[in-house]
Amino acid sequence: MDCDQRLFYLMNETVVLRDAVTKLHSDIMGLAGIFIELLRHVQESTWVWLLTTSQERVLQKVQTYFFRVMALSVDQHPCMKALVRDVLLVGIEAWKELQVDLLALQWHSFAFSFYRDPAFQGSAGTVEESFVAGTYWLTKLQDWMHNYTRQVYEALLTLEGEVSSMTAGPIRLHHQDEHGSFVTYEFMRRKVFKQWAIDKGLLRGLLRHEEPLAIGDFGAGGGHYSQWLNETGLLEAFAFDGTHQAAELTDGLVQEVRILCLEVGEHVPKPFAPTLLANLKRHATKGLVMSWSDDWEGIGHVNCLSREDFVAFVQDSTGFRLDATATELVRQACEIDYIARTLAVFRAPDAGP
């Protein structure tokens, strides 16, 4: 199949799955009322087999769909235009959450012999409530499927008629763009699979040894450092990142700006490194807390510096001076070794001790 045929196949498979999920949901809901009335008068368990068999069937259908879509992507990746890949990735993220919810229902069944919505906190419910919780998961699945199908259709409709849809060019498979920012897919991967690193020991060390100030986290990724600091209530922290759609992907937690500092510098190509330091100097009034990897084997590392070169580069570019005492105190508190190895605390010339 050429690219257009593959995209048509994707749309067709999506609609087939949507219709199958809708029919299954309709069948179950049609029987649900009968079972609930029955459960009010007698204790019987055929509803359990109805529910678990239905969930097994729908899991197989959705998993088969995503395996087929994966085959399309791996076989001819350039055919999967960015607009379509965005929809697929968001859909997979939502499907992951639905599977987590189903596992929570199963956990309750193993532990307490009843189904319960994972968000509910309380004692064991009635058999009726257990049945409703299980069918509600199928309703959430159907709602997601209808929304996902609409998004796939809208993406393909946007691509229709574009010359580029017939001759898709190569797709960037790197983790970051030419300016050093993560591409959307790498950002989403770290978000979905919880791959953002956070050194809480470093943050505790800062709070323990430094006067609480407002902090700006440049190259913040998912914004976890700022989120953790804000949750302490001791200071106000702001997160900024250059990744496209950073604000959207973090529900506003991270602001998207064209500035690029923990583990950031090594991702910034050498020609742009002076701009990074200039931006930091313009926004920092008291000091900087930075690390700059010297590990060329790291993902997306294009501009590694030894610790000595890193310190000299920052001092020459900003006029800030290394605070050796503060650096050692904070480094001792670090929990991630590769951050501790190159971490440095710099102070503005007029900031005082």
Side-chain angles (χ1 to χ4, degrees):
M1 295 185 291
D2 62 23
C3 287
D4 283 350
Q5 290 173 325
R6 288 168 183 271
L7 294 176
F8 179 82
Y9 176 82
L10 168 65
M11 186 72 253
N12 184 66
E13 288 294 301
T14 305
V15 171
V16 168
L17 176 61
R18 180 204 62 188
D19 292 346
V21 170
T22 299
K23 185 180 185 306
L24 181 62
H25 179 264
S26 178
D27 292 344
I28 297 301
M29 291 300 104
L31 293 172
I34 298 175
F35 272 103
I36 288 177
E37 283 299 319
L38 187 62
L39 291 172
R40 288 172 180 164
H41 298 92
V42 297
Q43 290 291 324
E44 75 93 54
S45 61
T46 56
W47 67 272
V48 176
W49 299 101
L50 170 70
L51 197 56
T52 55
T53 300
S54 300
Q55 291 170 343
E56 179 185 10
R57 287 175 59 192
V58 79
L59 280 171
Q60 290 174 342
K61 291 179 182 298
V62 178
Q63 290 290 63
T64 297
Y65 166 81
F66 276 120
F67 277 125
R68 290 176 178 175
V69 174
M70 182 177 68
L72 288 175
S73 301
V74 174
D75 182 46
Q76 288 291 338
H77 197 220
C79 289
M80 295 307 231
K81 304 288 288 183
L83 189 61
V84 178
R85 293 200 310 276
D86 286 348
V87 174
L88 293 175
L89 289 171
V90 171
I92 291 174
E93 180 182 2
W95 173 234
K96 174 177 177 287
E97 295 303 318
L98 283 166
Q99 290 184 84
V100 169
D101 287 348
L102 181 59
L103 287 173
L105 291 174
Q106 293 174 332
W107 191 93
H108 274 277
S109 71
F110 297 148
F112 306 116
S113 298
F114 70 96
Y115 267 24
R116 179 52 53 90
D117 187 289
F120 180 83
Q121 300 292 329
S123 58
T126 65
V127 176
E128 290 178 48
E129 291 171 339
S130 185
F131 183 46
V132 169
T135 55
Y136 178 58
W137 182 83
L138 289 171
T139 298
K140 290 194 295 183
L141 173 65
Q142 179 191 239
D143 291 344
W144 162 70
M145 195 64 231
H146 278 268
N147 185 54
Y148 170 71
T149 302
R150 177 182 55 79
Q151 292 174 336
V152 172
Y153 173 73
E154 291 175 349
L156 296 179
L157 196 63
T158 301
L159 290 178
E160 187 177 17
E162 290 187 4
V163 176
S164 59
S165 66
M166 295 292 292
T167 56
I171 293 171
R172 187 180 184 88
L173 299 178
H174 305 297
H175 296 84
Q176 57 199 55
D177 63 23
E178 62 275 12
H179 299 291
S181 298
F182 282 138
V183 295
T184 302
Y185 313 116
E186 175 63 12
F187 199 101
M188 289 186 68
R189 182 188 71 81
R190 293 180 179 230
K191 172 189 174 184
V192 172
F193 298 105
K194 305 185 187 306
Q195 294 293 306
W196 294 114
I198 176 172
D199 192 328
K200 295 180 181 178
L202 183 157
L203 298 177
R204 295 188 189 100
L206 285 176
L207 293 176
R208 188 180 303 119
H209 301 296
E210 298 290 320
E211 178 184 357
L213 299 168
I215 289 181
D217 185 5
F218 289 68
H224 293 80
Y225 281 95
S226 295
Q227 183 179 29
W228 189 92
L229 288 168
N230 284 322
E231 287 175 353
T232 67
L234 299 175
L235 50 77
E236 191 173 13
F238 304 89
F240 304 96
D241 196 87
T243 298
H244 178 56
Q245 295 179 308
E248 177 183 339
L249 293 172
T250 59
D251 296 324
L253 181 64
V254 178
Q255 299 304 307
E256 179 186 334
V257 293
R258 296 310 303 170
I259 51 175
L260 299 176
C261 179
L262 294 173
E263 299 300 289
V264 173
E266 64 272 17
H267 295 276
V268 180
K270 190 172 183 178
F272 300 107
T275 303
L276 165 65
L277 271 300
N279 280 319
L280 293 175
K281 180 181 180 181
R282 185 166 69 250
H283 289 85
T285 58
K286 298 293 184 181
L288 295 171
V289 179
M290 296 184 64
S291 65
W292 194 305
S293 180
D294 56 2
D295 179 15
W296 287 98
E297 299 299 321
I299 295 176
H301 289 192
V302 296
N303 185 21
C304 294
L305 293 176
S306 68
R307 177 175 172 78
E308 294 73 18
D309 290 342
F310 151 53
V311 170
F313 180 44
V314 173
Q315 292 187 146
D316 293 342
S317 300
T318 66
F320 287 22
R321 312 312 298 173
L322 177 70
D323 185 327
T325 301
T327 294
E328 189 57 33
L329 288 172
V330 177
R331 288 178 68 183
Q332 289 177 4
C334 287
E335 297 175 348
I336 299 178
D337 60 349
Y338 62 81
I339 292 180
R341 189 172 65 250
T342 64
L343 184 85
V345 178
F346 301 90
R347 295 194 186 278
D350 57 349

